Amino acid sequence: GDVEEGQVIGRRPGEGNGPGEAGDQPGVDYYETDITLDELIDIMFEDLELPDLERKALRQMPVARGTKRRGYRRKGIRVHLDKRRTVVNRLRRKIATGGKPAKSVADPADKDRFPFDKDDLRYRRRMPDEEMESNAVVICIMDTSGSMDTMKKYLARSFFFLLYQFARTRYRNVELVFIAHHSEAREVTEEEFFHKGESGGTRISSGYNKALEAIRERYHPELWNVYAFHCSDGDNFSHDDEAALAAAHELCAVCNLFGYGEIKPPDSYFGGSSMQEKFDKIEAANFQTVMIKEKKDVWPGFRSLLDRERKPGAAPADAGTAEA
């Protein structure tokens, strides 16, 4: 409307003009906003799409939705007997024959009876109800080694939370796989992934190989849209670098998109170890990297990774310089 930024348009009950002595009256409950979390997520993601959606047709597969009635038949089981249609068929036959009972009824006492015949019976025909739906699996891989301190894990989990909510808005049938790794990797629950920390050294290839194992066993690329994302501080056992690069190439070959986010807070930054520099050797169009240095970089970093306007082969993004 015609209001301006900073203009006072009203005060809450009991609210004073500024700081002063603490009051002794009960407060008044009020709503900060009427918008739900799901509505907020829709607003945040309304201009985003998963990469390759416009360049690659979604794979679809039939998903059972129960059963649906598909007409009638003369034979079936008793539970599917349609009594109304059966009675209607009997009445039609009675009218067509002038109300005369079947010849098989010989007893004169039954001359006014008009019994049901097996040809009157009608059974509901039910068929499996299937719909074609797009299937997606999002594989979340996080470094939980000792070098991933509290702030790094906070930034990584914030990024994965956005990814988690985004996937829910884009696919009706989506599965999520959570993989935590240090020197070894294991598949964990959502609760463990977002709330449990670990320690130890780092072998990034262990996380990638665990993701490839899940894809081979449960999410064949012929049937699933596969998206894999990895967050790490870039520290890795040097002898594992080549194995990590080889596994990253394998993920690029089976994923719609494979993304890598490097977490480098300024107060915990250490030089000489950055997997992003090594991943720059990967030239696959469906591989993207992003650098996250502080809280404000999470959202623009997420946008730069998933923005639908990104072109194949675009240069890796630095979230610190990305536009919000």
Side-chain angles (χ1 to χ4, degrees):
D2 56 359
V3 297
E4 298 178 356
E5 184 177 353
Q7 178 180 342
V8 177
I9 59 174
R11 298 189 182 279
R12 304 186 189 100
E15 186 178 54
N17 292 323
E21 185 178 351
D24 59 358
Q25 299 300 312
V28 178
D29 291 338
Y30 63 91
Y31 286 101
E32 291 282 0
T33 177
D34 287 332
I35 195 170
T36 67
L37 177 60
D38 286 341
E39 290 170 335
L40 176 61
I41 291 168
D42 287 338
I43 293 172
M44 294 167 65
F45 296 148
E46 63 184 0
D47 62 338
L48 294 176
E49 293 287 347
L50 284 175
D52 291 338
L53 287 190
E54 297 175 355
R55 301 190 291 271
K56 181 177 180 182
L58 291 177
R59 301 180 183 91
Q60 294 188 325
M61 66 184 300
V63 177
R65 291 286 183 182
T67 61
K68 181 182 292 186
R69 192 169 65 189
R70 299 287 176 86
Y72 301 88
R73 54 186 172 186
R74 295 177 182 272
K75 295 182 179 181
I77 58 177
R78 181 60 62 89
V79 70
H80 289 165
L81 178 66
D82 190 307
K83 297 180 180 178
R84 180 179 178 277
R85 188 166 289 267
T86 297
V87 169
V88 169
N89 287 339
R90 173 183 171 276
L91 291 175
R92 286 176 177 171
R93 186 167 57 85
K94 183 176 182 180
I95 293 172
T97 60
K100 296 179 181 180
K103 294 180 179 180
S104 59
V105 181
D107 189 346
D110 293 336
K111 62 180 180 180
D112 294 329
R113 291 184 64 246
F114 196 88
F116 285 94
D117 187 81
K118 65 178 182 180
D119 290 334
D120 298 331
L121 303 180
R122 291 295 183 271
Y123 297 88
R124 290 182 293 271
R125 184 181 184 186
R126 305 200 69 86
M127 301 290 289
D129 182 23
E130 295 183 343
E131 291 184 9
M132 298 300 292
E133 287 191 0
S134 299
N135 290 272
V137 56
V138 179
I139 303 176
C140 303
I141 311 166
M142 184 164 66
D143 181 357
T144 58
S145 63
S147 63
M148 287 286 287
D149 58 28
T150 301
M151 176 54 67
K152 293 177 183 178
K153 290 176 181 176
Y154 169 82
L155 294 174
R157 286 164 176 156
S158 299
F159 184 90
F160 281 120
F161 174 77
L162 290 175
L163 176 64
Y164 173 86
Q165 299 297 340
F166 178 71
R168 290 176 57 227
T169 67
R170 287 297 178 265
Y171 285 97
R172 292 182 63 183
N173 184 29
V174 59
E175 292 194 15
L176 293 164
V177 175
F178 298 101
I179 294 174
H181 79 86
H182 37 82
S183 59
E184 297 179 351
R186 63 190 183 96
E187 194 169 328
V188 297
T189 65
E190 177 185 340
E191 178 72 17
E192 291 174 321
F193 186 84
F194 283 108
H195 299 287
K196 188 176 181 180
E198 296 184 25
S199 60
T202 309
R203 291 180 185 270
I204 289 178
S205 65
S206 67
Y208 293 177
N209 287 329
K210 179 62 72 172
L212 289 166
E213 178 183 319
I215 293 171
R216 284 192 298 267
E217 294 180 356
R218 310 199 301 272
Y219 305 105
H220 196 285
E222 293 278 340
L223 301 175
W224 292 83
N225 294 281
V226 183
Y227 298 88
F229 296 84
H230 177 222
C231 280
S232 170
D233 61 0
D235 186 26
N236 192 43
F237 183 54
S238 59
H239 292 191
D240 185 62
D241 288 350
E242 291 302 318
L245 281 170
H249 277 100
E250 288 188 56
L251 282 171
C252 290
V254 296
C255 293
N256 291 39
L257 175 73
F258 174 37
Y260 172 74
E262 190 152 295
I263 315 296
K264 291 286 190 184
D267 58 351
S268 61
Y269 181 82
F270 55 92
S273 181
S274 173
M275 285 304 296
Q276 183 170 0
E277 297 175 0
K278 299 176 176 64
F279 284 147
D280 285 342
K281 300 175 183 178
I282 299 177
E283 299 179 354
N286 63 336
F287 178 71
Q288 304 288 355
T289 66
V290 62
M291 179 74 73
I292 300 175
K293 298 179 180 178
E294 49 189 329
K295 293 179 183 178
K296 68 179 183 180
D297 296 337
V298 172
W299 176 247
F302 181 75
R303 282 184 58 93
S304 68
L305 191 67
L306 294 179
D307 197 321
R308 64 182 176 187
E309 298 301 328
R310 286 185 65 87
K311 305 298 182 183
D318 187 332
T321 60
E323 294 183 2

